[in-house]
Amino acid sequence: MLREPVTRREERRAHQEKDGESCSPWEEVTQDLVGSLEAIAYPNRFKLLTMLQDPQAIGDIELTATVDHGNPDRVITREGVRHHMKKLRDAGFVKARTARGRGQTEHEYVVDHTRLYELSEALRDLPLKNRSGSWDACENLTWDPPAPGRANLTVVHGSRIGESFPLQGLRREEDRGWIIGRSQDADICLDWDACVDDQAAEIHRSDDGFEVIDLRAAMRRVVVNGEPLDRGEHASLEPGDVISVGRSVLVFQDPA
C-alpha cells in the first residue's frame, strides 16, 4: 500500500471522523495515490527530483523554469526552489539531512527512491485492485537467457530491472551464502523496496546445486514460483525459478 506521509493522513482521518465520514481501504489507497500525484504534478518538481540524485543544498541548486515561453532560460528564485522542495518533502519524495559546508551547518536534500518506488508500484497495481486485489508474481514474466558461464539472479520486477547479481566469488560474510535484503551490506541489495527485510533470504551453494533459504529473523516470507516458503525453509533452485522478495522479483539462472 502506498504510504501517505503520516501527518497529512492523520489530518484527513481526523476531518473524516469529525464529519462522521469513513472510507474503505480501496478509497483510502486511491486518496493517498491522488495526493502523491498532485504533489509531483509540476514539470519543475520533476526536474528538481532528477537533480537530487545526489545530496544538494538549496544554495547549490540552479533550477531553470521548465515552461516559460517568454523567457525559456529563466532561473527560478531560491524562494521558489524552497517552495517546490517543501512540497516534495511534505509528500515524502525528498529527504533532508544535516551536513557541514562553507564553515557552517546546512541542510542537504536528496530524492527518496523508496517513496518513488512505492508510487510506481501503486500505479502498477491500480488496474488490478477491482479484480483479485492481489498481485501474481509469476504472471507474464519474461527474462533473458542465462549469462554465459555463471549462475546469477536477475531483477525482472523492481527499480533496476535487468540488473544481475552473480552467484560466485567472495561473499560479504565468509561463513554464509549470498544474502538477499534491503541492507546496504546485503550481497544482493534491493534497497529500493521498502517491503524487503534487511536480511530476507540467503542463497546457498552445495554439491547438489543452489538453494534459497527463508531467513527466520525476517518479518516477511520469501516466495518461490508463487509458493511462499515457511519460516526457515530451504528450497532447491532450478534455472528459470522465480524468487519474490517483498515487491521485487528475481529470476535464478544457472548455465552449468
Side-chain angles (χ1 to χ4, degrees), residues 9-61:
R9 184 170 64 243
E10 290 180 345
E11 288 175 359
R12 176 163 52 77
R13 286 177 176 171
H15 284 301
Q16 289 174 338
E17 291 174 359
K18 182 179 178 180
D19 298 335
E21 299 176 354
S22 62
C23 63
S24 68
W26 164 239
E27 290 172 330
E28 184 171 331
V29 170
T30 304
Q31 291 172 356
D32 291 350
L33 180 56
V34 169
S36 297
L37 292 174
E38 287 177 343
I40 61 174
Y42 295 84
N44 290 329
R45 291 179 197 169
F46 269 102
K47 190 172 184 179
L48 185 56
L49 285 174
T50 65
M51 298 173 67
L52 295 176
Q53 300 302 308
D54 296 312
Q56 293 195 56
I58 290 287
D60 296 329
I61 298 173

Side-chain angles (χ1 to χ4, degrees), residues 110-159:
V110 65
V111 66
D112 188 336
H113 289 283
T114 297
R115 175 71 169 150
L116 287 176
Y117 181 62
E118 289 176 349
L119 176 60
S120 70
E121 288 297 284
L123 289 170
R124 189 193 301 268
D125 277 354
L126 196 58
L128 305 177
K129 291 296 184 180
N130 288 330
R131 296 190 297 178
S132 65
S134 62
W135 175 64
D136 183 356
C138 299
E139 182 180 358
N140 299 326
L141 287 177
T142 60
W143 50 84
D144 295 329
R150 66 173 63 179
N152 61 76
L153 290 176
T154 300
V155 179
V156 296
H157 182 89
S159 182

Side-chain angles (χ1 to χ4, degrees), residues 158-180:
S159 182
R160 296 195 289 271
I161 292 177
E163 180 174 358
S164 292
F165 298 91
L167 300 175
Q168 64 178 19
L170 297 176
R171 279 91 67 191
R172 292 182 184 269
E173 299 183 41
E174 293 183 1
D175 58 339
R176 300 182 65 181
W178 293 271
I179 302 299
I180 304 174

Side-chain angles (χ1 to χ4, degrees), residues 52-86:
L52 295 176
Q53 300 302 308
D54 296 312
Q56 293 195 56
I58 290 287
D60 296 329
I61 298 173
E62 185 173 297
L63 182 63
T64 56
T66 304
V67 180
D68 190 335
H69 300 293
N71 183 7
D73 297 322
R74 180 176 66 85
V75 177
I76 295 177
T77 64
R78 186 171 298 184
E79 192 61 33
V81 173
R82 284 198 181 95
H83 170 75
H84 289 303
M85 190 76 75
K86 182 180 186 305

